[in-house]
Amino acid sequence: MSEETNRIKLKVFRTNYNKSAPSYFDEFDVTVKRWTTVLDALLDAKSYSDSSIGIRYSCRMASCGSCGMKINGKPRLACYTKISELNDQTIVCEPLPNFPHIRDLVTDFTQFFTQHKKIEPYVHNEDVPNEIAENDELVEFKQTPEEVDKYLQFSYCIKCGLCYSACPTVATDSKFPGPQALSQAYRYLADTRDDGSSKRFRIIDERHGIWRCHFAGSCSHVCPKGVDPALGIQLLKGHLMGVSKNDKKIASIRSKDE
């Protein structure tokens, strides 16, 4: 696509689950340029063609994770996906799979955040003196750059839900925590400031927990921030089986020749 303007067809999934009307696709002709994102195209259609299009967005810079949707068959962030990169004159926007739908492209994240909160995604540390904890005073726990590197990759998660929507296990087991929650459990396991791993293990080491993951890898394939949830889950499994080293180093990928 050149820098000159181009026209594409934007197909938007439309439905309202509070009404009995059937779902359908609306089509819009949108003028785009080389740098136009899918979110830009949707907002153009919403501003100049149909203001009733239901869409969730906020930061427009792939930080908030609000604009996740299925674009041309793949879960993506609309603000992070350029029309020119799709190499298609027809852009199809649908709501994320594995989430209850609310209206058009808007989905319900209640269960997703419930699973996230379930693994207690914050630092547990019993070394804080009672007199400090009772007064809500700030406490500093220093870490070396090497210690930070052990969990930094997994801290980049923006909770966009793309990995959750792409997970085949989530699609078949509503009680499965999902790749986002499980990778965050590893994020705190690898954090030297945290001592709550045994509590989290009891939460995820059960019938519908971490062992339901079959390592399809689709979660890492769609992650826009390079978190690699599949890697975090496999490292977490290693700790649960007692095969990982105590120094909590992130595993290195080995080639077949090694």
Side-chain angles (χ1 to χ4, degrees):
M1 185 184 296
S2 66
E3 292 193 12
E4 298 180 356
T5 58
N6 186 30
R7 295 191 69 81
I8 56 99
K9 180 179 292 184
L10 184 66
K11 297 181 66 175
V12 182
F13 183 85
R14 305 300 301 274
T15 191
N16 188 337
Y17 287 87
N18 292 325
K19 298 182 179 180
S20 58
S23 57
Y24 61 97
F25 280 92
D26 255 346
E27 295 187 5
F28 305 94
D29 287 327
V30 181
T31 301
V32 300
K33 294 189 177 182
R34 182 173 55 84
W35 53 83
T36 302
T37 66
V38 174
L39 180 59
D40 292 332
L42 285 166
L43 294 179
D44 184 279
K46 184 176 177 69
S47 298
Y48 301 107
S49 299
D50 188 345
S51 61
S52 68
I53 297 175
I55 181 174
R56 182 186 289 131
Y57 69 98
S58 183
C59 73
R60 305 195 190 192
M61 54 186 295
S63 293
C64 71
S66 299
C67 63
M69 62 186 69
K70 189 161 72 170
I71 302 172
N72 285 12
K74 179 181 177 180
R76 311 172 192 256
L77 292 180
C79 72
Y80 200 54
T81 305
K82 292 182 180 179
I83 300 289
S84 59
E85 295 173 345
L86 297 174
N87 295 318
D88 201 324
Q89 293 300 110
T90 301
I91 308 301
V92 182
C93 298
E94 302 171 82
L96 288 175
N98 298 344
F99 287 91
H101 298 163
I102 298 176
R103 185 168 70 87
D104 299 346
L105 303 177
V106 180
T107 51
D108 187 351
F109 270 58
T110 301
Q111 180 64 21
F112 174 81
F113 285 118
T114 297
Q115 297 290 4
H116 173 70
K117 293 177 182 177
K118 186 178 178 180
I119 58 100
E120 301 186 4
Y122 46 84
V123 172
H124 289 263
N125 197 304
E126 301 299 330
D127 293 334
V128 181
N130 289 333
E131 59 273 14
I132 294 179
E134 291 173 356
N135 294 327
D136 292 329
E137 296 181 21
L138 296 177
V139 180
E140 182 181 49
F141 292 94
K142 295 183 179 181
Q143 290 182 306
T144 65
E146 292 73 23
E147 290 173 329
V148 174
D149 283 341
K150 294 176 183 179
Y151 66 84
L152 184 61
Q153 171 184 349
F154 303 101
S155 70
Y156 292 146
C157 174
I158 59 174
K159 306 170 189 64
C160 62
L162 299 192
C163 62
Y164 193 86
S165 70
C167 178
T169 304
V170 171
T172 58
D173 186 352
S174 60
K175 295 183 179 180
F176 178 63
Q180 189 276 338
L182 292 174
S183 65
Q184 291 308 290
Y186 180 76
R187 175 255 180 272
Y188 288 95
L189 172 70
D191 194 328
T192 57
R193 299 167 297 178
D194 184 81
D195 58 15
S197 57
S198 59
K199 186 174 183 179
R200 293 193 188 90
F201 284 166
R202 289 193 297 270
I203 296 172
I204 64 177
D205 187 14
E206 52 95 28
R207 181 179 179 183
H208 298 278
I210 191 171
W211 306 112
R212 291 280 287 134
C213 172
H214 304 304
F215 200 46
S218 53
C219 54
S220 296
H221 181 63
V222 301
C223 179
K225 308 302 284 188
V227 174
D228 197 354
L231 172 62
I233 293 173
Q234 296 310 302
L235 294 173
L236 195 58
K237 283 182 178 180
H239 280 277
L240 281 166
M241 292 187 294
V243 299
S244 294
K245 296 180 180 180
N246 291 328
D247 59 5
K248 304 179 183 177
K249 289 183 178 178
I250 292 181
S252 60
I253 300 177
R254 300 181 61 186
S255 66
K256 293 181 181 179
D257 297 331
E258 293 179 339

